[in-house]
Amino acid sequence: MRFSDETLVEIMQRFRRELSKGLGRDTNPTAALKMLPTFVRSIPDGSEKGDFIALDLGGSNFRILRVKVSHEKKQTVLMESQIYDTPEDIIHGSGTRLFDHVAECLGDFMEKHNIKDKKLPVGFTFSFPCQQTKLDEGYLITWTKRFKAGGVEGMDVVKLLTKAIKKRGDYDADIMAVVNDTVGTMMTCGFDDQRCEVGIIIGTGTNASYMEELRHIDQVEGDEGRMCVNTEWGAFGDDGRLEDIRTEFDREIDRGSLNPGKQLFEKMVSGMYMGELVRLILVKMAREGLLFEGRITPELLTKETFETKHVSAIEKSKEGLSKAREILTKLGVEPSNEDCIAVQHVCTIVSFRSANLIAATLAAILMRLKENKGVARLRTTVGIDGSLYKMHPQYARRLHKTVRRLVPDSDIRFLLSESGSGKGAAMVTAVAYRLADQSRQITETLSEFRLTNEQLLEVKKRMRTEIQNGLSKSTQDTATVKMLPTFVQSTPDGTEHGDFLALDLGGTNFRVLLVKIRSGKRRTVEMHNKIYAIPLEVMQGTGEELFDHIVQCISDFLDYMGMKNTRLPLGFTFSFPCRQTSLDAGILVTWTKGFKATDCEGEDVVGLLREAIKRREEFDLDVVAVVNDTVGTMMTCAYEESTCEIGLIAGTGSNACYMEEMRNIEMIEGDEGKMCVNMEWGAFGDNGCLDDIRTEYDRAVDDLSLNPGKQRYEKMCSGMYLGEIVRNILIDMTKRGFLFRGQISETLKTRGIFETKFLSQIESDRLALLQVRSILQHLGLDSSCDDSIIVKEVCGVVSHRAAQICGAGMAAVVDKIRENRGLDHLNITVGVDGTLYKLHPHFSQIMHQTVNELAPQCNVNFLLSEDGSGKGAALITAVGCRLRQELNSK
């Protein structure tokens, strides 16, 4: 019965294999450890409050508690409880009688506490193996511990109890959770120590539960987060795994038990059998003449005359031997001093074996937690309850010592459950209540982002109105969606040919490109480019310095390409708001993106460029077109696909352009043909027409932006702002105690910390929650699994709405084109560019779906654009040259 550490490590490894078997879908049916999911997903976080009832049925008496959890200065728990007897005839009678008895006791309790009229949430500790598929149901698998009430096995005990309560009709109770006593113990201790993630009982029976990663629990859908698993470890060894360490005494106890062949581990370690084990050993020793001078009395031969409490008494260090004498005398043997010492020794061996075996199985669970977490050192707390652990003078110390030896790299705290598992059941109920309430509030908060079809149709309708305002002469001045003419009057037709220069100025970098376009059977586009930096002092100096710097870069590029002496046509992508008066004239309305060069606003940027080229007197260029990047995007796609007549940017910013009928563009003379209109749709809503769908979070982001009140639509659907919206929601939810334990970190207070690329990563379907947690930890946010699930949901609704309202805007555009042409059905292609569209895992798909639903008469294809601002500018230039030649030849 004495084990070396090698044997204990071997037992520990066997138990670990059994754990895995019990968790696997295919291996569970034959596993001895049933590893039952409990649907308890988190331990108390300290914010629970309310008034709860807990029922505790699992032994010879039945306990009812009323647990009040309040928050004055700190969380306090008030408990009142009453114990009711469960008579033998009820334990062995019919199930109906048993549950009628429970309902009657509960009625009596509520009457005494004057709470019959309140429908309080109830937690039900039911300490028998149950199969659960949710928190508030439990199908009894099999009775244990002398219980044998008929017609209950295979039934849902919550239904049976609810039925018994309904039958009485004098009170109502909402049973929110059915909990195993080990889970109750873990939750009771978890209330005092949030590190607690294991609960064990070492009393009449023994069992353990612990928090397992959901991705390892095959019987439950989902991989997100953790769930408490009830191991039912008393059955360890039922498949013969422990035969080599079971003794003849263990076998004899099993043969005489109510359930032979079952719960073999429990029969070696728990309080129900310990005294009996000692008795059997004493009988054998007496028979062999090693004790009591060979005398055997009828009392000593009577089953269960030697109890576990006697073992505890005999092992006390001071009065143990006198207790031994007293107990043995009652059994009719007249013990000598040597007999008393020998009996004390037998008790020690049996109880020490129990502590060692439990240490081995507990160590296996702790090693599993350590591996699940991937940490070098495990810090955790084990909640413990049970009469053997509490009453035996040496048990706890021995157990702790062996566990610490078997799990070396760890700091393990053992916490005694003061108030049994009843408080734990109330805690599970409180957590369920808190999570249900929290989940309701979170759903409510996020519901503002979940737009209905009606709302999206309304956005589409308003966009149509704003488009019309931008096109009409009488309203153009006050219109928010400016509908700027670009003087690009045709998409490429495939005959474009020649060498073109393109400039791309839109940020801190500046590109110069040479684009060689070849027509004919095999159309090709060949590109060469160089990137130049624009120093801050140039961005914010004089206009002359800025354009001299640009020309200096062009000069360097032409030298590099050896093309100084040819007069090349040039397209200039200038990604700032411009009012164009012709294809080669664009008046800068205002600088954005950190540019502040003087004497440029209100000037024609092509004129400024031509003057700078003249000043340099090195080369000449033919500036054909000034280009917006959205139009460039449309043109590159139109070169590949002739049905492309719309351009969309869905990236840091958001904008669109499309081919409008000349007759509808009132700002420009002429009714023939079409022209591309740069919508500048980011400003949609600046007149307040989207206020009914903007949330408090949108308003907060807008108020703190560089341009409050401007570009409101863009702020709801472009990459630059989505992370900020998410950050604002997270701050609010943290303030309300739903996230990060209510602690707002400095990081979370920092604007711009939550980059949109994190949204793309967090929402990726392939990411397990652990990776979401590591992204959040990288941001300095110490998140639990529950936090990560909520963050993922927040990111999801924000990006989902962005894609939907972007789709609603696009639906307005395609329907406008369809009506322009008087068609019942339109086939059209949209050229798209932008990081949000390209990199976000769901954005493009949701946007496409929205366009299809809101514009059912249009068949819209989306084509990814390659380099709209470079290649697109060259193509616009090429088309401009072609149209110029056609005009001249007329």
Side-chain angles (χ1 to χ4, degrees):
M1 279 195 173
R2 291 196 183 95
F3 299 134
S4 65
D5 276 6
E6 285 74 39
T7 309
L8 291 176
V9 167
E10 166 60 28
I11 291 167
M12 185 172 143
Q13 279 160 348
R14 285 181 206 174
F15 189 78
R16 284 201 65 178
R17 286 195 292 271
E18 289 299 306
L19 279 184
S20 304
K21 238 179 113 169
L23 289 169
R25 182 174 285 120
D26 304 333
T27 44
N28 174 278
T30 57
L33 297 181
K34 282 298 168 220
M35 304 300 284
L36 304 167
T38 65
F39 294 84
V40 170
R41 293 167 192 267
S42 64
I43 40 184
D45 73 351
S47 67
E48 291 73 20
K49 52 180 184 287
D51 197 346
F52 307 97
I53 294 216
L55 311 177
D56 188 352
L57 178 69
S60 40
N61 35 27
F62 163 55
R63 224 164 128 233
I64 301 183
L65 303 92
R66 181 182 183 187
V67 183
K68 281 186 190 165
V69 190
S70 67
H71 276 273
E72 294 320 304
K73 291 196 178 59
K74 66 190 236 320
Q75 200 175 26
T76 52
V77 179
L78 286 173
M79 297 202 295
E80 306 161 87
S81 72
Q82 194 171 340
I83 289 178
Y84 293 89
D85 203 34
T86 343
E88 280 291 308
D89 60 321
I90 284 187
I91 289 180
H92 296 139
S94 76
T96 314
R97 270 191 69 199
L98 174 66
F99 285 99
D100 285 348
H101 173 67
V102 172
E104 189 182 329
C105 297
L106 181 55
D108 172 74
F109 182 85
M110 290 173 90
E111 181 96 27
K112 282 184 180 146
H113 288 268
N114 206 5
I115 46 177
K116 265 194 163 168
D117 53 338
K118 292 187 180 179
K119 186 178 179 183
L120 293 184
V122 176
F124 183 14
T125 302
F126 185 72
S127 315
F128 303 95
C130 282
Q131 194 77 53
Q132 291 182 266
T133 62
K134 47 183 199 280
L135 192 56
D136 58 356
E137 67 163 31
Y139 289 89
L140 175 65
I141 297 171
T142 152
W143 284 116
T144 54
K145 293 178 281 198
R146 299 204 180 93
F147 268 68
K148 269 277 185 264
V152 182
E153 291 181 356
M155 302 295 281
D156 175 7
V157 295
V158 177
K159 276 210 182 85
L160 295 175
L161 178 54
T162 310
K163 193 171 151 192
I165 293 171
K166 283 228 165 72
K167 195 161 68 183
R168 292 174 57 84
D170 58 342
Y171 66 90
D172 202 358
D174 181 11
I175 302 171
M176 288 193 73
V178 60
V179 183
N180 177 281
D181 53 349
T182 55
V183 183
T185 299
M186 180 185 84
M187 294 298 273
T188 300
C189 296
F191 181 75
D192 301 315
D193 179 346
Q194 288 184 11
R195 280 220 168 77
C196 184
E197 43 193 352
V198 183
I200 63 177
I201 302 272
I202 313 168
T204 318
T206 181
N207 190 13
S209 62
Y210 72 99
M211 296 299 287
E212 177 59 87
E213 300 294 322
L214 201 50
R215 63 178 188 276
H216 295 152
I217 309 173
D218 285 357
Q219 297 126 282
V220 181
E221 284 300 305
D223 297 331
E224 309 286 29
R226 304 201 299 169
M227 184 181 284
C228 182
V229 172
N230 165 16
T231 62
E232 286 295 337
W233 78 8
F236 179 38
D238 287 7
D239 54 359
R241 295 281 146 147
L242 296 178
E243 284 317 299
D244 54 340
I245 61 165
R246 286 175 75 228
T247 63
E248 56 185 291
F249 310 110
D250 296 309
R251 294 192 173 86
E252 193 170 335
I253 275 195
D254 180 43
R255 281 196 297 277
S257 68
L258 281 173
N259 52 353
K262 299 254 188 301
Q263 301 292 101
L264 297 183
F265 178 70
E266 182 168 73
K267 286 170 187 165
M268 293 168 78
V269 298
S270 81
M272 188 162 169
Y273 306 98
M274 191 171 279
E276 188 57 12
L277 269 173
V278 171
R279 186 187 69 80
L280 292 173
I281 295 171
L282 299 186
V283 169
K284 179 166 184 181
M285 287 175 76
R287 282 206 170 119
E288 292 179 2
L290 300 171
L291 274 180
F292 319 134
E293 295 172 350
R295 279 192 311 282
I296 295 176
T297 63
E299 289 88 344
L300 191 57
L301 286 174
T302 307
K303 211 173 161 185
E304 292 173 14
T305 46
F306 199 97
E307 296 174 45
T308 300
K309 64 179 181 197
H310 298 151
V311 177
S312 297
I314 291 171
E315 283 194 64
K316 286 196 171 135
S317 44
K318 290 205 175 67
E319 70 260 32
L321 290 174
S322 60
K323 284 280 181 201
R325 182 173 299 280
E326 190 186 308
I327 290 159
L328 292 168
T329 306
K330 276 190 185 147
L331 292 175
V333 291
E334 293 151 25
S336 63
N337 272 346
E338 285 74 17
D339 286 340
C340 292
I341 292 168
V343 170
Q344 191 180 44
H345 195 56
V346 171
C347 290
T348 303
I349 288 173
V350 172
S351 66
F352 212 133
R353 176 182 78 156
S354 165
N356 274 339
L357 283 171
I358 287 199
T361 50
L362 175 56
I365 288 176
L366 294 170
M367 289 300 279
R368 185 165 175 98
L369 283 176
K370 186 165 179 266
E371 274 178 29
N372 281 349
K373 293 180 176 191
V375 289
R377 193 170 185 87
L378 177 70
R379 278 189 75 182
T380 192
T381 299
V382 177
I384 307 193
D385 200 358
S387 48
L388 179 57
Y389 180 85
K390 283 181 176 166
M391 303 305 184
H392 189 288
Q394 323 287 338
Y395 198 94
R397 194 179 47 83
R398 291 172 186 162
L399 175 74
H400 303 171
K401 216 169 151 185
T402 311
V403 169
R404 291 187 174 122
R405 236 181 22 251
L406 293 174
V407 192
D409 291 321
S410 60
D411 303 305
I412 292 152
R413 180 179 178 209
F414 292 90
L415 193 56
L416 187 60
S417 165
E418 291 303 336
S419 42
S421 48
K423 175 176 163 189
M427 281 300 139
V428 174
T429 309
V431 170
Y433 199 71
R434 168 176 67 82
L435 290 177
D437 186 46
Q438 181 177 308
S439 155
R440 204 193 65 248
Q441 289 189 50
I442 288 173
T443 305
E444 208 171 287
T445 301
L446 297 181
S447 67
E448 290 187 81
F449 287 89
R450 298 193 163 97
L451 302 179
T452 62
N453 223 29
E454 286 65 47
Q455 286 173 304
L456 290 169
L457 279 166
E458 192 51 45
V459 173
K460 173 189 168 184
K461 189 172 126 195
R462 291 173 197 173
M463 178 68 93
R464 273 301 291 271
T465 308
E466 296 302 315
I467 288 175
Q468 204 42 60
N469 289 343
L471 289 171
S472 305
K473 217 174 199 156
S474 57
T475 47
Q476 212 277 337
D477 268 358
T478 56
T480 51
V481 178
K482 283 293 177 204
M483 305 299 288
L484 306 172
T486 66
F487 297 87
V488 171
Q489 292 180 284
S490 163
T491 50
D493 66 0
T495 64
E496 293 74 21
H497 192 93
D499 293 355
F500 304 91
L501 265 191
L503 308 183
D504 177 13
L505 179 69
T508 47
N509 285 336
F510 165 62
R511 284 193 309 159
V512 186
L513 304 93
L514 175 69
V515 184
K516 299 181 170 193
I517 301 175
R518 301 291 175 260
S519 61
K521 276 209 179 96
R522 293 197 47 219
R523 296 190 304 174
T524 59
V525 177
E526 184 190 321
M527 304 209 293
H528 305 270
N529 73 42
K530 252 183 123 170
I531 294 178
Y532 299 90
I534 296 186
L536 195 64
E537 60 272 17
V538 175
M539 281 166 72
Q540 302 185 352
T542 66
E544 229 172 66
E545 284 167 356
L546 175 64
F547 280 92
D548 283 347
H549 178 75
I550 289 172
V551 172
Q552 154 81 53
C553 297
I554 299 173
S555 168
D556 174 83
F557 182 76
L558 292 173
D559 278 340
Y560 169 72
M561 297 300 297
M563 299 188 79
K564 266 271 167 71
N565 42 17
T566 44
R567 184 170 188 259
L568 291 170
L570 175 133
F572 185 12
T573 299
F574 187 74
S575 303
F576 300 92
C578 272
R579 204 168 60 249
Q580 280 186 257
T581 51
S582 66
L583 185 59
D584 63 350
I587 291 157
L588 174 63
V589 180
T590 91
W591 281 121
T592 55
K593 305 183 229 191
F595 276 74
K596 286 211 172 60
T598 55
D599 309 321
C600 296
E601 292 181 357
E603 297 294 327
D604 172 15
V605 293
V606 176
L608 296 174
L609 180 62
R610 285 180 179 143
E611 280 163 28
I613 293 172
K614 271 210 188 87
R615 276 199 299 276
R616 192 159 179 107
E617 294 184 334
E618 260 187 41
F619 54 86
D620 195 14
L621 294 172
D622 171 18
V623 186
V624 176
V626 59
V627 181
N628 174 281
D629 54 350
T630 318
V631 184
T633 297
M634 176 186 80
M635 294 297 270
T636 46
C637 288
Y639 188 66
E640 308 295 331
E641 170 53 65
S642 60
T643 60
C644 177
E645 298 188 63
I646 304 174
L648 169 69
I649 302 262
T652 316
S654 181
N655 193 15
C657 67
Y658 71 99
M659 297 302 286
E660 178 56 273
E661 306 297 320
M662 280 290 284
R663 65 174 188 273
N664 295 334
I665 309 173
E666 295 181 8
M667 303 302 291
I668 291 186
E669 295 301 309
D671 288 347
E672 288 304 307
K674 299 179 203 163
M675 182 182 287
C676 181
V677 174
N678 166 17
M679 296 176 68
E680 289 295 339
W681 81 1
F684 176 39
D686 289 3
N687 58 2
C689 72
L690 293 178
D691 285 2
D692 56 339
I693 64 164
R694 290 171 75 228
T695 65
E696 60 180 285
Y697 310 105
D698 294 305
R699 289 191 283 277
V701 168
D702 182 32
D703 292 345
L704 288 171
S705 66
L706 292 172
N707 53 352
K710 302 246 186 311
Q711 301 292 96
R712 286 182 178 171
Y713 179 62
E714 180 169 74
K715 283 172 188 162
M716 293 168 80
C717 68
S718 81
M720 187 164 173
Y721 302 98
L722 298 188
E724 267 305 281
I725 298 175
V726 168
R727 189 181 68 85
N728 276 283
I729 299 174
L730 299 186
I731 285 180
D732 179 44
M733 288 190 171
T734 309
K735 279 182 186 156
R736 288 158 68 186
F738 302 159
L739 279 174
F740 310 130
R741 289 174 283 293
Q743 306 291 313
I744 300 182
S745 65
E746 281 309 310
T747 320
L748 201 52
K749 290 181 194 158
T750 314
R751 280 186 47 213
I753 187 74
F754 217 90
E755 295 170 45
T756 301
K757 70 171 182 199
F758 292 133
L759 263 78
S760 295
Q761 289 170 359
I762 286 171
E763 285 187 70
S764 160
D765 296 329
R766 294 191 303 283
L767 267 203
L769 265 203
L770 278 172
Q771 286 151 298
V772 175
R773 277 175 82 174
S774 72
I775 291 171
L776 294 172
Q777 270 155 357
H778 168 75
L779 291 174
L781 302 170
D782 180 23
S783 79
S784 67
C785 275
D786 293 343
D787 293 339
S788 308
I789 292 170
I790 295 169
V791 170
K792 196 167 178 170
E793 187 184 357
V794 171
C795 292
V797 296
V798 170
S799 61
H800 196 244
R801 181 191 69 164
Q804 284 187 315
I805 62 171
C806 183
M810 186 47 70
V813 174
V814 294
D815 253 349
K816 170 94 171 73
I817 296 173
R818 183 181 64 78
E819 286 173 24
N820 282 346
R821 300 182 190 173
L823 298 170
D824 285 337
H825 194 85
L826 172 74
N827 278 321
I828 198 160
T829 299
V830 180
V832 202
D833 201 355
T835 44
L836 187 60
Y837 184 89
K838 284 180 176 167
L839 302 179
H840 190 282
H842 310 300
F843 185 92
S844 56
Q845 188 192 340
I846 296 162
M847 190 190 88
H848 300 170
Q849 191 186 333
T850 309
V851 175
N852 288 337
E853 283 168 9
L854 300 184
Q857 291 167 276
C858 303
N859 179 24
V860 186
N861 284 309
F862 290 86
L863 195 59
L864 264 181
S865 152
E866 292 303 317
D867 191 15
S869 45
K871 183 175 167 182
L875 282 164
I876 290 171
T877 309
V879 171
C881 290
R882 188 192 87 209
L883 294 178
R884 199 161 58 181
Q885 280 160 356
E886 285 171 12
L887 261 178
N888 292 345
S889 61
K890 276 180 188 169

